[in-house]
Every structure is written in C-alpha cells, then in structure tokens.
Amino acid sequence: MNGTAVRRALREFVLVAALFLAYKMGRLLVDGHVTEAMNNAAAVWHFERALHLPSEARLQGALLSHEFWVRAANCFYAYVHFPATALALVWLYVRKPETYLWMRRTLATLTAFALVVHSLFPLAPPRMLAAAGMVDTGRLFGPSVYGPPATDTLSNQYAAMPSLHVGWAVVVALALVTTTAGWKRWLWLAHPALTLIVVVVTGNHYWVDALAVLGLLGVVLALVPRVAPAPVFVPAQRPAPVAVTRTPSSRSRR
C-alpha cells in the first residue's frame, strides 16, 4: 500500500470514527427533559393503539419465559449494532469503494436528521412507561447497556424516536444487497428484521420509532445520490500491421 492509499485510509477512519462519536455524543447534547419525554411516550403509546398496531408488551411477554432467547436479544442489542455497521463499512471500503462512500454519506445524513428529531421530540422508551406494561430485559436478565436514567452520563435514554438501531441496520442491508450477487444477498435483509424485533422485545423502542426512521431514511435516500463507479481506463491498442502480399507483375509472368 503506497503513501497515498495509507493517507486515504486514515482519513476515512477519522471520518467514520467521527460519525460514531457524533452518534454517541449527539444524543447527550440533545438530552431531553424527563417530563416531556414521558408525556410524549404516553402519547405515542395511545397513538399506536389508535392505529391498532401489534402490542409490544404482548410480543415481549411471549419471550419472557424463554430466558435464553431474552439474553440473546439483549446481547444482539448490546453487541451487534456498532460492530456490524463498522464491519460493513470496512468490507465495502476494500471491495466496493463507491458503495462505501454512499453508505457513509447516508449514515451521516440520517444520523444528523435523527438528532434533530431527538431534540425536538424527546421520547422515553416503552420500558420506562408504566402504561405499556413492559420490563427492562437488559436490567433483569443482562447484559444491559444502560444504567439508571438519572445517573447515566454515557447515553440519552430519552431519544427513542426515531430508532437509529433500525435505520442503520436498513442502510447496512441496502448496501450489501446491492453489492453482492445471487439469491443469498437477500439474506442481508434479516439484519434489519432481527434488529426491529430485538429493539421492541427489549423494551427500547416502539413500532412507531421504526416507522419514523424508515420515513426519514426515504428522505435521506432522495438527497444522497448513488456514486457511480470510477471509469476504468483501457489504453487504446494500435491495430496490428496488415501483411501485404505482392502478386507477380505482368512483366515477371512473361
């Protein structure tokens, strides 16, 4: 790897690191008020019931008797979100640079828009809403990524709307589906599907949080264009010399 390639890789590393840092720090900077977040949570819960959406509490209740699967969901929530996104970015950077650039820009734009929504509409997750009848599976079964909300200085637990867990997972799936071949590429869609189930059964998001991020992603996809592959320069080849066959002249045939 030459010096130019090393500098480019380091620059991209810094940019991606800044994206992940903005995801974490931005949530702290827009930390919402508890009362407002709880009021919004009650409004979202009643709004979902008016839409006759499936009950998050019922889905969680069906899983609570299976401790292994509850712990698996908690581990997925805690350990898959960031590593899966980072691995996808690294693979695309090496194999599909144009898709990598699109994915990085899409993630950055989606995250920026989501932080604005977090600041305007702080929302407590369903595990904090008594009316939802849900529990904090991370705290009860482990592992948990959050501490007590009053003393948690590492995350903003009142930023449930929209769900960036689901949004980032959809972007990862879109990037990988469009850059791999064969029917197996559709298996990448399992990542956002599993992420959606996990964020709901763990009590960290409402269905509406996922719907909101899909709508937001639709806007982002319209704003962030696909990057065309760099044209491959093929040097023009000189035509091969044509052999000239001389026929005997009429004089030589005499």
Side-chain angles (χ1 to χ4, degrees):
M1 184 179 290
N2 57 36
T4 302
V6 171
R7 288 192 296 271
R8 180 172 178 267
L10 289 176
R11 183 192 66 182
E12 293 299 328
F13 175 81
V14 171
L15 289 173
V16 172
L19 171 62
F20 281 79
L21 184 61
Y23 177 95
K24 297 297 293 182
M25 296 304 296
R27 294 168 70 94
L28 293 175
L29 294 175
V30 298
D31 194 5
H33 298 289
V34 175
T35 302
E36 185 180 358
M38 295 303 297
N39 290 338
N40 288 338
V44 166
W45 183 257
H46 291 301
F47 176 68
E48 286 191 336
R49 305 294 71 81
L51 294 178
H52 302 287
L53 294 179
S55 172
E56 294 92 340
R58 187 172 301 172
L59 180 62
Q60 186 189 70
L63 195 69
L64 287 179
S65 58
H66 305 281
E67 183 175 342
F68 171 82
W69 293 112
V70 176
R71 290 182 180 274
N74 291 338
C75 288
F76 189 100
Y77 184 84
Y79 305 131
V80 173
H81 177 51
F82 281 118
T85 306
L87 287 174
L89 284 167
V90 171
W91 186 84
L92 290 170
Y93 177 80
V94 175
R95 301 294 297 272
K96 302 289 183 179
E98 64 280 356
T99 305
Y100 160 81
L101 186 59
W102 171 85
M103 181 178 173
R104 173 168 63 75
R105 290 174 176 173
T106 301
L107 289 175
T109 307
L110 179 63
T111 302
F113 283 4
L115 293 178
V116 174
V117 178
H118 292 162
S119 65
L120 298 176
F121 192 79
L123 179 66
R127 58 185 167 80
M128 294 183 184
L129 183 65
M134 301 184 71
V135 298
D136 185 346
T137 59
R139 182 176 59 83
L140 292 179
F141 296 94
S144 177
V145 297
Y146 301 119
T151 59
D152 187 1
T153 58
L154 297 177
S155 60
N156 175 18
Q157 297 187 44
Y158 303 104
M161 171 79 75
S163 171
L164 281 176
H165 270 74
V166 174
W168 280 27
V170 171
V171 174
V172 169
L174 289 177
L176 295 178
V177 164
T178 57
T179 53
T180 51
W183 67 268
K184 292 183 179 179
R185 72 182 187 272
W186 300 110
L187 295 177
W188 293 118
L189 296 177
H191 178 48
L194 283 174
T195 300
L196 173 60
I197 297 299
V198 164
V199 299
V200 171
V201 300
T202 55
N204 285 293
H205 285 286
Y206 308 87
W207 298 117
V208 171
D209 299 338
L211 295 176
V213 84
L214 291 178
L216 198 60
L217 181 57
V219 176
V220 172
L221 293 178
L223 295 176
V224 180
R226 277 282 186 175
V227 180
V232 179
F233 174 74
V234 179
Q237 297 181 352
R238 294 181 179 179
V242 179
V244 179
T245 304
R246 294 185 178 182
T247 57
S249 63
S250 59
R251 180 176 300 179
S252 62
R253 289 197 299 267
R254 292 177 181 177

